């Protein structure tokens, strides 16, 4: 069954590859994207969204201007060493953009026009999604499901020893979302996404295919991935590939039968200190658990199915949604 997805993203490298995965996937109807600060500035995220719309020929997908700052009030810290100055690795997009694009309030219209059908997937900071709960509390009750890439529970953090980047970047926003969202959020943490390793060999094979069919949008994948992999390899020389956190989150949406979840009470640490931004889950095998909101936390998945589907879907660049 085709899933209507509203995608919140900060349009770094793995985000951009995830958007292409969504464009090429026959099971995803991408009804809109919200471009946020995070990996890059909000303005660069909007520009990247417009660039991908142009290359894929999907100008029908609205791009909404999201948050520019976290709810902490602190200036955001971008990560060009991971995603490149523009968020596209070494690629410099040649496109002029109206940085306002569609107004953020347009997401309310999409949800109201499709009650109990829209699935929100958030793979960046949660500032915009938290704002939606503040601005449109009744509308957000009409969202069918939430998938959030963020947090880490039984693995180390990636920005502090205990905190993952999306939750750490705005724990106040993460706290709002996880206390207000109904139904329970499907949380896709580092515990599983760090295992979603894609190898350079697989990317090179895809690139050969894109070159052979002349897919301009497909030709973006290898240079972006190579930049991203170089960062991960320098940080951990033992890695054989790079984790595509955001692609994994979309795969979990369309291949939910291959992901294992547990119903876990979850809390986000918002107090300034060593644990700031930490996601705490009560994984104890006891009847009595912490009085936190209960969400579905991904704990395991089929790597074989993930890789198989990623490769198959990314070869759809000239047959579905994308242009050759």
């Amino acid at each position: 069954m085709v899933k209507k997805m509203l995608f919140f993203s900060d349009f770094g490298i793995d985000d951009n590859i995830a958007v292409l995965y969504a464009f090429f996937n026959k099971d995803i109807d991408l009804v809109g994207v919200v471009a946020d600060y995070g990996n890059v500035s909000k303005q660069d995220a909007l520009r990247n969204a417009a660039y991908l719309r142009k290359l894929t020929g999907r100008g029908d997908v609205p791009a909404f201007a999201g948050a520019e700052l976290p709810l902490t009030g602190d200036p955001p810290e971008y990560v060009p060493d991971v995603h490149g100055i523009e968020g596209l690795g070494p690629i410099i997009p040649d496109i002029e953009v109206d940085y306002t694009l569609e107004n953020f309030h347009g997401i309310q219209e999409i949800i109201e026009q499709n009650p109990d059908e829209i699935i929100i997937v958030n793979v960046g900071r949660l500032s915009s999604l938290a704002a939606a709960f503040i601005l449109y509390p009744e509308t957000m009750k009409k969202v069918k499901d939430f998938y959030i890439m963020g947090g880490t529970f039984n693995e180390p953090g990636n920005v502090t020893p205990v905190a993952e980047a999306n939750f750490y970047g705005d724990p106040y926003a993460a706290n709002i979302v996880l206390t207000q969202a109904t139904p329970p959020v499907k949380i896709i943490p580092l515990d599983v996404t760090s295992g979603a390793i894609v190898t350079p060999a697989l990317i090179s094979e895809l690139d050969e295919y894109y070159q052979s069919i002349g897919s301009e949008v497909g030709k973006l994948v290898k240079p972006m991935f190579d930049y991203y992999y170089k960062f991960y390899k320098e940080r951990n020389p033992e890695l054989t590939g790079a984790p595509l956190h955001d692609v994994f989150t979309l795969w979990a949406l369309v291949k939910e039968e291959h992901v294992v979840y547990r119903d876990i009470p979850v809390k986000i640490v918002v107090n300034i200190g060593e644990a700031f931004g930490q996601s705490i889950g009560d994984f104890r095998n006891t009847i009595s658990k912490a009085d936190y909101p209960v969400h579905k936390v991904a704990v395991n998945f089929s790597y074989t199915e993930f890789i198989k589907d990623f490769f198959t879907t990314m070869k759809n660049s000239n047959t579905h949604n994308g242009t050759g």
Side-chain angles (χ1 to χ4, degrees), residues 26-68:
K26 60 181 175 52
D27 295 321
I28 295 176
D29 177 11
L30 187 59
V31 299
V33 298
V34 178
D36 296 315
Y37 79 92
N39 295 322
V40 295
S41 68
K42 180 185 79 169
Q43 288 74 22
D44 285 346
L46 283 166
R47 190 267 329 282
N48 290 349
Y51 185 57
L52 292 180
R53 289 200 307 177
K54 176 183 176 183
L55 287 183
T56 56
R58 290 300 307 277
D60 59 304
V61 177
F64 303 102
E68 190 162 343

Side-chain angles (χ1 to χ4, degrees), residues 112-252:
E112 291 288 355
Q113 290 168 4
N114 301 274
D116 303 316
E117 292 185 3
I118 299 298
I119 298 172
I120 287 180
V121 177
N122 190 304
V123 297
R125 313 302 187 258
L126 283 88
S127 311
S128 291
L129 187 52
F133 277 101
I134 293 169
L135 292 169
Y136 325 118
E138 294 305 312
T139 296
M140 296 303 285
K141 293 176 182 176
K142 300 176 183 178
V143 173
K144 180 178 180 180
D145 216 344
F146 297 90
Y147 285 74
I148 291 177
M149 191 277 121
T152 185
F153 295 93
N154 299 306
E155 297 285 341
N158 59 357
V159 288
T160 78
V162 298
E164 177 274 334
N166 287 339
F167 284 9
Y168 179 81
D170 195 345
Y172 300 158
N175 186 50
I176 289 172
V177 172
L178 295 181
T179 55
Q180 297 299 313
T182 54
V185 169
K186 291 184 174 70
I187 300 174
I188 314 294
L190 284 182
D191 306 58
V192 288
T193 65
S194 60
I197 299 292
V198 174
T199 64
L202 185 147
I203 295 296
S204 292
E205 188 172 345
L206 282 175
D207 188 59
E208 289 178 11
Y209 172 72
Y210 296 143
Q211 299 290 343
S212 71
I213 65 171
S215 172
E216 293 305 314
V217 65
K219 292 176 185 178
L220 294 177
V221 175
K222 181 172 169 54
M224 287 196 298
F225 178 87
D226 287 349
Y227 188 100
Y228 187 70
Y229 173 56
K230 181 173 182 286
F231 166 81
Y232 274 97
K233 189 70 171 176
E234 289 175 350
R235 192 171 67 165
N236 181 359
E238 295 182 2
L239 281 180
T240 58
L244 294 183
H245 308 281
D246 301 339
V247 174
F248 179 92
T249 305
L250 295 191
W251 174 77

